[in-house]
Amino acid sequence: MSKKDIVVVGGGGAGAMFVKEILRKFDRARYTLTLVNARPCYIYLPTTVRMAVTDHGNLEDVVLMPFDRLLGDAGTLVLGTVVAIEKQTPGQGGDVVLRDGTRLHYDALVLAPGTRLENPLDYPDSREDIQKYIGDWRQKIKDAEHIVFSGGGPTSVEIAGEIREYFPDKHTTIVQSRSLPFNNIYRDNFRRRILKESQAFGIEFVLNDYLDETVPKDGHVTTRKGQALRADLVITSHGGHPNTEFIQSLGADVLSKYGFVRTNPTLELPDHPGVFCIGDVIDNPERNRLGKYVKHVNVAVPNVLARLNGKEPKKKYTGSIETIAISIGSERGVSYIGILWGICLGSWITSIFQSRHLAIQGGRWVMGYGWTTG
Ligand SMILES: Cc1cc2nc3c(=O)[nH]c(=O)nc-3n(C[C@H](O)[C@H](O)[C@H](O)COP(=O)(O)OP(=O)(O)OC[C@H]3O[C@@H](n4cnc5c(N)ncnc54)[C@H](O)[C@@H]3O)c2cc1C
């Protein structure tokens, strides 16, 4: 009997967790596993907010992780960018096509391409270029006295917190379109705590306003409402863009208006048996968090195996409670559990679980390095 091929596109937060879990479950005599990733390493995003700002601790040595320990000798890494998916008869698998023309056959396909972020987290593909990019952005931040953020979401708050921690003399201002930081998926009590803790750490806010300018002129930027702000550097953080262009090759109705992937509760794409999606690019109202992707993986793994055994996928993703832990420098932060009135936890607990190490242990554990910070 010929082996069935499982192909995973994207070795980031969700893809790596999927690979780890399916390799624990699958029979090597029956299946092959191929991970396709554009970069030669996994980038553990929660810790990048510090890595972007400082060379203290050389965080790139722990944040960028090769795939060898994750895959061992049970899976294969193919380095490259997928540009199209070509299906055969429904349920019969197909090929993923890479930019260099390589074709990889799949019987089951798992899509986890994540989001393209903005500077200073818009990493290039080669290890060498990533290293240079990190160095260049650290220098830009070091050279700027006044740094203005466009967008008041978690990434802006966390990067601003790191800048205040490592460069307490620099001025950081966040311009946010709403009356409080973050999106209104989080309750106001939490958003007020974020505002208060950030301000107490010296981060300034301009609320109910927008910043469209990305390059300062004469040391200033001007908001939509006409407020001039001192600025040597603008960091834009509007949530990124899903890396899903290549998935359109499955048909126009596969993606939502904003480029997210429509799935059934089984995380399989409607009308595309054997093609599953996990991670940031799923079309649902939830915020992107790795904790949820443990649940995605726990649904996708049995469903992929069911499909490969000629059965209907049964396991369903029923949603997750919104939880988030936000660092504001290494000793401050606020955590949120979206139950009841919205439970908030302060700096003492958040610094232990998030701010000090930015959860790097979790990322390293997934990649086979044990529960360590370095
Ligand atoms: C600054 C920041 C801090 C965060 N902090 C936390 C936190 O503290 N806790 C938490 O739970 N979550 C956190 N998150 C969210 C979490 O990191 C993401 O939700 C998670 O990494 C997304 O996983 P993913 O696999 O969907 O995408 P990604 O991790 O982005 O991985 C996608 C991978 O796919 C590859 N790829 C993309 N397109 C292609 C293609 N066409 N062909 C081949 N490869 C491709 C990319 O190179 C990348 O390796 C944070 C996110 C950010 C940006």
Side-chain angles (χ1 to χ4, degrees):
M1 196 174 69
S2 68
K3 290 186 184 180
K4 299 228 167 165
D5 301 320
I6 305 168
V7 173
V8 180
V9 179
M17 282 196 266
F18 177 88
V19 167
K20 188 175 185 82
E21 188 58 17
I22 200 148
L23 287 180
R24 276 179 358 102
K25 298 264 162 70
F26 91 179
D27 176 356
R28 286 205 217 178
R30 298 181 59 202
Y31 307 117
T32 70
L33 180 113
T34 304
L35 171 64
V36 189
N37 198 54
R39 303 187 187 108
C41 54
Y42 171 65
I43 301 183
Y44 186 64
L45 292 175
T47 318
T48 56
V49 292
R50 188 162 298 153
M51 182 176 81
V53 170
T54 178
D55 56 13
H56 182 82
N58 295 322
L59 284 174
E60 55 275 32
D61 294 344
V62 290
V63 169
L64 311 181
M65 291 170 256
F67 292 100
D68 49 351
R69 293 194 188 198
L70 175 72
L71 293 166
D73 60 359
T76 308
L77 174 70
V78 172
L79 203 55
T81 301
V82 175
V83 291
I85 305 167
E86 291 182 6
K87 270 185 44 172
Q88 293 160 3
T89 318
Q92 300 296 307
D95 289 349
V96 293
V97 184
L98 275 60
R99 185 168 289 144
D100 67 3
T102 305
R103 301 175 79 87
L104 300 168
H105 174 261
Y106 69 82
D107 293 291
L109 177 62
V110 178
L111 303 169
T115 311
R116 172 147 193 198
L117 300 168
E118 294 133 314
N119 288 323
L121 309 180
D122 183 16
Y123 298 103
D125 286 342
S126 83
R127 176 85 196 214
E128 213 177 32
D129 290 348
I130 296 171
Q131 199 67 44
K132 180 171 181 322
Y133 177 86
I134 293 169
D136 289 350
W137 270 94
R138 284 180 184 157
Q139 194 60 47
K140 282 183 199 179
I141 290 170
K142 203 171 176 185
D143 291 345
E145 194 185 330
H146 294 265
I147 300 167
V148 177
F149 292 80
S150 170
T155 302
S156 293
V157 169
E158 291 200 324
I159 295 179
E162 296 302 322
I163 294 173
R164 294 289 306 153
E165 166 110 6
Y166 287 95
F167 304 99
D169 294 337
K170 292 192 192 298
H171 300 269
T172 52
T173 306
I174 294 178
V175 181
Q176 156 77 332
S177 58
R178 300 166 195 262
S179 59
L180 288 169
F182 293 16
N183 184 297
N184 55 15
I185 202 156
Y186 302 109
R187 288 186 189 253
D188 283 1
N189 58 341
F190 169 63
R191 298 167 72 198
R192 278 194 293 270
R193 280 283 284 275
I194 290 286
L195 182 64
K196 195 168 147 222
E197 288 291 337
S198 303
Q199 287 173 327
F201 202 44
I203 301 169
E204 292 169 34
F205 283 81
V206 174
L207 298 170
N208 298 309
D209 205 346
Y210 291 83
L211 181 64
D212 301 310
E213 294 174 14
T214 54
V215 182
K217 275 189 223 115
D218 302 325
H220 287 84
V221 286
T222 307
T223 67
R224 271 194 209 172
K225 286 188 178 168
Q227 185 170 346
L229 300 169
R230 290 281 307 274
D232 306 307
L233 180 67
V234 174
I235 293 180
T236 302
S237 182
H238 294 167
H241 180 77
N243 288 317
T244 51
E245 289 82 358
F246 73 95
I247 301 173
Q248 264 176 356
S249 51
L250 284 176
D253 54 347
V254 170
L255 301 183
S256 73
K257 173 163 105 170
Y258 298 107
F260 291 91
V261 181
R262 297 196 172 103
T263 62
N264 291 326
T266 56
L267 303 185
E268 197 170 36
L269 275 60
D271 303 324
H272 297 282
V275 182
F276 294 81
C277 183
I278 55 174
D280 280 4
V281 298
I282 289 187
D283 182 35
N284 73 20
E286 296 184 345
R287 297 288 94 193
N288 302 339
R289 291 283 105 184
L290 288 163
K292 291 170 186 154
Y293 305 160
V294 175
K295 283 177 104 178
H296 288 189
V297 166
N298 288 339
V299 169
V301 166
N303 286 346
V304 164
L305 293 175
R307 265 289 169 230
L308 292 174
N309 283 304
K311 296 184 187 143
E312 277 301 307
K314 289 228 171 73
K315 200 108 192 252
K316 292 188 176 164
Y317 180 69
T318 50
S320 303
I321 293 168
E322 288 298 337
T323 55
I324 192 166
I326 294 296
S327 64
I328 305 170
S330 67
E331 294 299 329
R332 282 175 188 261
V334 189
S335 301
Y336 173 82
I337 307 167
I339 52 169
L340 303 171
W341 52 89
I343 309 281
C344 293
L345 306 168
S347 289
W348 183 77
I349 193 98
T350 306
S351 63
I352 293 171
F353 290 107
Q354 183 75 10
S355 314
R356 285 184 198 158
H357 301 296
L358 296 172
I360 186 68
Q361 302 96 320
R364 291 188 65 76
W365 178 80
V366 168
M367 294 301 284
Y369 290 85
W371 195 259
T372 59
T373 55

